[in-house]
Amino acid sequence: MSSPFDYFVVFAEMRTGSNFLETNLNALDGVGCFGEAFNPHFIGYPNKTEILEISQAMRDADPQCLLDAIRDARGILGGFRYFHDHDPRILDTVLNDPRCAKIILTRNPLDSYVSWKIAKETGQWKLTNIKKRKEAQARFDAEEFARHVEELQDFQVFLLNSLQRGGQTPFYIAYEDLQDLGVLNGLAQWLGVPARLDGLDDSLKRQNPSPVTSKVVNAEEMIQALSGLDRFNLTRTPNFEPRRGPAVPTYVTGAVTPLMYLPIRGGPEDEVRRWMADLDGVVDAALGTGLNQKQVRQWLKGNEGHRCFTVVRHPLARAHAAFCHRILNKGPGCFTKIRNTLRRQFNLPIPEDTPGPDYGRADHRAAFEAFLEFLRMNLAGQTAIRIDGSWCSQAQAIASFSDFVNPDLILREDEMAGALAALAQRFGHTEPPQPALAPADTPVALADIYDDALEALAADLYQRDYVVFGFGKWSGATTTI
């Protein structure tokens, strides 16, 4: 039998059973799957240094060389697993190549989310010996889950539409299908591989076989949160779910005043939310958050005269905030994997652990400048690391809102106090509260390292933001090193 394909890709996500699927594919004579070949933080597997004599450094410099090596691997039909946050530089090449077989593996998003939370808690991502199984319960976070579903749906719809436009048919397989020997042998037949499995691999054990309600510590809270979601969007196979508005769960609606805030990550999100709560005399938890597309539409229809707004931050200040909160300081919100990769592969001069007393202003300026140089490559699509919402251009973030709702007002952070007061007065608040100022970044404030060279770097990186929003030099500087 001659295969209609030269190589294959398994589109999957964490905790969808992709390890089990790969193990069974590798049990077929003539098939070789090379793990997460384009994971930006390692190559193939965490303990590997190369694939087919291609090192991680070689792959990062030219991802096509590894793709070619997998496609041209002798004696096997080669392939790899690809998740939504893997190197985006090879995605279009793979999707547009009809000689690349596309296998799309999916799982109920609630199950994959809870499984991911438990794995993070226990540190156990694979189980081969049932006696070594670690038990834990997850805590369901409604906003985090909404973002999880949003990311899955966006990527699945992107895959579906890309393959539709290319006239290609993928092989869909659900998590539950992985236990069906006939389905896996059907996959082998579809790939054009003559070998068949006599049985399923039994080296990997299912880690959390109990019902999902018993896997979380706050089951009642989870049930209540999920009751507000469209059940068909939740349980339907995500490959065919309708397109959702970008970042809809992050929208914030007023408890009383008909205001909707469209947050841009890396901006004054906490300060605006606190102002909205103070405006209506409520606690932050009373604001509307974690809404889905249907609920936002209902809010818009039910609040005649509403205003939607967003707040943009000076690009240099926003990049510095992203550096401090996401990369430099360890803790909640830190992108630990990206941090480690930047230290190891991009020589970002930051401490291995949280900055200590010996980390001074000169060290911080050098590290931040190196981060800006990384952003130059990242925003140009030249790195394997995702372009995160914390540092993507704000013009692009606002453009993504337009697929669902456009902001009536785009406010600048340095003009936010007066602009929000005027906005509140439109709705009868004669003495609205003043928004709090964002605290200085730690351990070193931007004002303590600012100079024209950093400004020039930011202006080059975020030229569109400077032009579109009229930004000049950052006005918060007080000293220089």
Side-chain angles (χ1 to χ4, degrees):
M1 180 188 295
S2 176
S3 174
F5 305 112
D6 297 328
Y7 62 111
F8 66 90
V9 56
V10 177
F11 287 113
E13 299 296 338
M14 295 178 67
R15 317 310 292 171
T16 56
S18 65
N19 279 308
F20 182 80
L21 176 57
E22 176 175 337
T23 300
N24 282 281
L25 284 170
N26 284 334
L28 292 164
D29 289 338
V31 176
C33 189
F34 296 97
E36 298 176 41
F38 295 93
N39 187 310
H41 309 295
F42 55 80
I43 183 166
Y45 311 93
N47 59 347
K48 293 278 287 186
T49 59
E50 63 177 38
I51 292 175
L52 298 172
E53 299 183 351
I54 304 294
S55 69
Q56 185 171 347
M58 294 167 62
R59 179 204 67 182
D60 289 346
D62 176 19
Q64 185 66 43
C65 72
L66 178 56
L67 193 64
D68 291 343
I70 292 174
R71 182 195 61 206
D72 300 334
R74 283 191 169 187
I76 61 169
L77 181 69
F80 57 94
R81 291 182 282 142
Y82 187 98
F83 300 172
H84 79 275
D85 57 352
H86 286 185
D87 192 339
R89 294 175 293 174
I90 59 104
L91 187 54
D92 284 345
T93 301
V94 168
L95 287 174
N96 293 329
D97 186 356
R99 295 290 299 178
C100 174
K102 284 81 174 178
I103 304 165
I104 299 181
L105 173 62
T106 62
R107 186 181 184 184
N108 180 302
L110 180 60
D111 287 334
S112 64
Y113 169 76
V114 172
S115 177
W116 169 70
K117 295 280 283 188
I118 292 174
K120 283 187 66 179
E121 182 72 22
T122 62
Q124 190 172 59
W125 298 89
K126 282 185 182 181
L127 182 63
T128 56
N129 186 343
I130 197 64
K131 294 180 180 179
K132 295 183 179 180
R133 178 177 176 267
K134 300 177 182 178
E135 288 199 27
Q137 284 183 300
R139 176 166 291 278
F140 179 83
D141 183 317
E143 290 191 38
E144 184 181 55
F145 175 68
R147 290 193 298 270
H148 170 75
V149 173
E150 192 86 13
E151 288 181 352
L152 293 183
Q153 290 175 329
D154 284 349
F155 189 60
Q156 289 290 335
V157 169
F158 170 75
L159 291 180
L160 177 64
N161 291 344
S162 297
L163 295 177
Q164 285 174 327
R165 287 190 289 269
Q168 300 180 61
T169 304
F171 190 99
Y172 289 103
I173 184 167
Y175 177 80
E176 292 77 13
D177 297 331
L178 296 176
Q179 299 301 318
D180 190 325
L181 180 63
V183 170
L184 293 186
N185 278 330
L187 172 58
Q189 180 177 348
W190 180 79
L191 288 171
V193 175
R196 295 293 182 268
L197 297 172
D198 294 326
L200 299 175
D201 180 83
D202 61 0
S203 63
L204 295 176
K205 316 298 181 186
R206 188 176 179 188
Q207 292 176 242
N208 306 292
S210 54
V212 69
T213 50
S214 66
K215 299 177 189 176
V216 297
V217 296
N218 54 337
E220 289 300 322
E221 183 180 335
M222 178 183 74
I223 293 170
Q224 184 177 359
L226 295 180
S227 66
L229 294 174
D230 182 343
R231 70 176 65 184
F232 298 103
N233 277 344
L234 178 65
T235 59
R236 190 179 178 192
T237 303
N239 309 80
F240 303 103
E241 291 171 342
R243 188 185 301 275
R244 287 178 176 267
V248 168
T250 68
Y251 298 174
V252 182
T253 57
V256 179
T257 307
L259 293 175
M260 178 182 288
Y261 170 46
L262 311 180
I264 297 176
R265 293 183 66 187
E269 299 174 71
D270 292 341
E271 290 71 31
V272 175
R273 285 175 61 129
R274 194 177 310 124
W275 176 83
M276 291 178 68
D278 292 344
L279 182 66
D280 288 333
V282 298
V283 296
D284 183 82
L287 300 174
T289 58
L291 306 178
N292 60 29
Q293 188 178 19
K294 178 180 177 182
Q295 291 168 320
V296 171
R297 280 205 188 98
Q298 290 173 338
W299 186 92
L300 294 171
K301 290 179 181 178
N303 288 273
E304 187 175 342
H306 61 74
R307 289 291 181 270
C308 302
F309 71 96
T310 190
V311 181
V312 293
R313 170 174 279 175
H314 191 282
L316 181 61
R318 182 167 171 265
H320 187 260
F323 172 64
C324 291
H325 297 296
R326 302 300 187 190
I327 305 299
L328 178 61
N329 295 304
K330 287 189 171 182
C334 174
F335 297 155
T336 304
K337 286 185 177 180
I338 294 179
R339 183 187 199 275
N340 294 338
T341 300
L342 291 182
R343 287 187 71 253
R344 186 176 64 252
Q345 295 182 33
F346 292 86
N347 299 317
L348 195 71
I350 59 175
E352 184 175 354
D353 207 347
T354 303
D358 57 339
Y359 180 84
R361 292 164 59 191
D363 299 312
H364 188 76
R365 191 206 174 283
F368 179 51
E369 182 178 16
F371 179 68
L372 291 177
E373 291 292 353
F374 157 74
L375 289 186
R376 183 197 301 279
M377 296 181 287
N378 182 249
L379 294 173
Q382 296 173 320
T383 73
I385 296 174
R386 69 175 187 267
I387 300 176
D388 190 77
S390 299
W391 56 72
C392 73
S393 73
Q394 294 172 95
Q396 183 62 38
I398 291 175
S400 72
F401 293 146
S402 65
D403 287 341
F404 184 65
V405 61
N406 284 309
D408 300 298
L409 299 170
I410 300 175
L411 312 179
R412 279 70 174 164
E413 184 180 23
D414 59 349
E415 303 170 351
M416 187 171 67
L420 289 180
L423 184 59
Q425 288 165 1
R426 292 177 58 95
F427 295 100
H429 295 277
T430 57
E431 296 183 6
Q434 287 291 303
L437 296 176
D441 299 323
T442 59
V444 179
L446 177 58
D448 293 333
I449 62 168
Y450 175 86
D451 57 30
D452 288 343
L454 291 177
E455 184 77 64
L457 263 176
D460 183 46
L461 286 171
Y462 294 107
Q463 184 179 37
R464 188 180 177 199
D465 281 358
Y466 275 81
V467 172
V468 170
F469 303 117
F471 286 118
K473 285 190 174 184
W474 182 63
S475 60
T478 57
T479 61
T480 59
I481 59 172

